[in-house]
Amino acid sequence: MIILLFYVIPYLAVSTVVMVITVKYAKKIWIRGIVATALFLIPTYDIIITNILGAYYCATAPKTFIKETVEYPESIYFEDSIQPFTENDINNTIRHYLDGVHLKRAAFNLSGKDVVVYWLDEVSEQYQYFLNLNHTYKKAREDEENTRKDMYKKLNNGIIKRQSEEHGRYVKAINLKEQKSEELSKERYEVWQKLIRKAITTKDKMPNLNYSYYINEIKLDKFVAKFLYAFEIKSINNKTNEMVGFDIHYKRFFYNIFPDLVGRYFVDSFGCGMNENLYIKIFNMDKWGTSWASIHRKSLGQYLYNKYVQRK
């Protein structure tokens, strides 16, 4: 509605006036044609060029692939050359994935040349207790989810009715299991906080880690860069130096006639590329993480908007 009010309707009104004047005073058809074409292209030229370039680059881009999935990577180095990791990003990531079993050590690049490394203190007396507690917590969550799925399956199949006595028993059981999961989660996190250790170092001095996960901007031609933004994601098995996962993304900027109104650098829904969170699939994190979590709390579009647009 705002776009219509402040952009589309005023432009249509001005264009109509210009076209009426042109038809009235310009007798040659080719002049009218040029004016009409210009009026059409002024607000839409970027739409045409963007879609042509987007179709070409997406069609010719290397295909996304995951060569291997690793459920027990044990150690991963995350490097984002576009959006360095913040303390909030890191805390959110390690809280959900640094479990001492699947992931024992995680490193992240910070602004500048520093790298921060996190791990759990395996020599602590509470380490084994944490592992057992973590296992119990995941089993409790699994039990809760299975009960919930079973209830909805019976409801959808008409085996039980809503508000019935059996439905009530399911709801009560789920509430109790949910409460148990929450209590275990709280205790797990308290113990985990006591075990967590970190060190600030540099990339050349950090310990050897099994896998690396890189996010890098792709430098486009100056003309193309006016319409598209591109970045690639790749994951490396550091033991074999093989690439185990790759994804490339092309994103379009907002059209002149439909500008951004909420603080985004590009349109997230447009473009090619499988998933910005490719690490979830490569390392099977959706199976063993305590919850789904992005390695960045702020989207890349929001970060670049703050960096390039908001500062102007």
Side-chain angles (χ1 to χ4, degrees):
M1 183 61 70
I2 294 176
I3 293 175
L4 284 174
L5 185 62
F6 290 100
Y7 293 94
V8 179
I9 294 176
Y11 184 79
L12 289 175
V14 172
S15 299
T16 300
V17 172
V18 171
M19 201 64 222
V20 168
I21 293 173
T22 301
V23 171
K24 183 176 181 179
Y25 293 101
K27 304 302 180 183
K28 295 183 179 180
I29 296 178
W30 64 271
I31 295 179
R32 297 177 182 178
I34 290 175
V35 173
T37 301
L39 291 172
F40 172 75
L41 289 176
I42 287 173
T44 62
Y45 77 93
D46 61 323
I47 299 177
I48 298 170
I49 296 174
T50 295
N51 282 276
I52 291 173
L53 291 174
Y56 170 76
Y57 277 93
C58 285
T60 57
K63 300 300 182 183
T64 299
F65 72 85
I66 296 177
K67 187 175 181 180
E68 65 174 282
T69 55
V70 187
E71 190 167 340
Y72 293 87
E74 294 192 354
S75 56
I76 306 172
Y77 169 58
F78 294 94
E79 179 178 297
D80 191 334
S81 64
I82 309 171
Q83 181 182 0
F85 294 98
T86 65
E87 185 177 356
N88 195 20
D89 293 333
I90 295 168
N91 288 339
N92 185 58
T93 302
I94 62 174
R95 177 176 180 177
H96 293 294
Y97 299 127
L98 191 64
D99 64 355
V101 179
H102 302 84
L103 187 61
K104 299 180 178 181
R105 193 175 295 259
F108 305 83
N109 73 301
L110 306 173
S111 56
K113 296 182 179 180
D114 287 341
V115 169
V116 61
V117 184
Y118 285 86
W119 68 97
L120 297 181
D121 185 0
E122 297 184 14
V123 299
S124 170
E125 295 179 355
Q126 288 190 303
Y127 181 70
Q128 190 58 49
Y129 176 71
F130 168 77
L131 295 182
N132 294 335
L133 183 61
N134 189 55
H135 178 75
T136 303
Y137 164 66
K138 290 183 178 180
K139 287 294 184 182
R141 277 186 58 207
E142 184 180 341
D143 183 38
E144 173 197 337
E145 187 60 28
N146 287 338
T147 304
R148 183 177 283 105
K149 287 180 179 179
D150 188 45
M151 180 188 72
Y152 282 117
K153 182 179 180 181
K154 289 184 176 180
L155 285 171
N156 294 332
N157 291 336
I159 298 175
I160 63 175
K161 295 182 179 180
R162 292 185 182 277
Q163 308 303 322
S164 66
E165 186 177 340
E166 188 172 356
H167 182 213
R169 284 197 295 269
Y170 265 107
V171 172
K172 184 177 180 180
I174 291 171
N175 288 339
L176 289 173
K177 292 179 180 182
E178 186 176 19
Q179 182 179 354
K180 180 182 177 181
S181 295
E182 290 176 355
E183 291 172 353
L184 288 169
S185 176
K186 183 179 178 180
E187 184 182 1
R188 175 196 176 278
Y189 182 61
E190 289 173 352
V191 177
W192 178 86
Q193 283 184 305
K194 296 176 182 178
L195 293 171
I196 197 73
R197 302 289 183 270
K198 80 170 183 177
I200 303 293
T201 183
T202 55
K203 188 175 179 180
D204 59 322
K205 294 180 181 179
M206 72 177 184
N208 294 327
L209 304 180
N210 292 340
Y211 292 88
S212 294
Y213 186 86
Y214 299 100
I215 303 174
N216 296 309
E217 181 178 342
I218 298 174
K219 297 297 182 182
L220 299 173
D221 175 87
K222 287 185 178 181
F223 175 76
V224 178
K226 294 180 182 294
F227 304 94
L228 299 176
Y229 182 84
F231 62 95
E232 67 176 13
I233 299 171
K234 58 183 178 181
S235 185
I236 307 294
N237 181 330
N238 293 327
K239 292 182 178 180
T240 63
N241 205 32
E242 287 185 293
M243 189 182 301
V244 297
F246 175 83
D247 200 11
I248 190 168
H249 292 256
Y250 287 96
K251 302 291 187 180
R252 74 163 174 85
F253 297 119
F254 287 85
Y255 298 139
N256 292 332
I257 199 170
F258 295 114
D260 167 60
L261 298 175
V262 296
R264 292 171 296 170
Y265 191 64
F266 50 64
V267 180
D268 290 309
S269 59
F270 171 91
C272 47
M274 184 179 75
N275 194 326
E276 292 182 28
N277 299 312
L278 193 66
Y279 59 92
I280 297 288
K281 294 184 177 295
I282 295 174
F283 302 115
N284 278 331
M285 289 178 164
D286 54 338
K287 292 184 178 180
W288 52 265
T290 57
S291 178
W292 184 92
S294 173
I295 53 178
H296 285 296
R297 300 302 298 271
K298 182 180 291 185
S299 73
L300 180 59
Q302 291 174 313
Y303 172 80
L304 293 175
Y305 176 86
N306 293 338
K307 182 178 181 180
Y308 293 123
V309 180
Q310 199 172 51
R311 290 183 180 179
K312 293 183 179 179

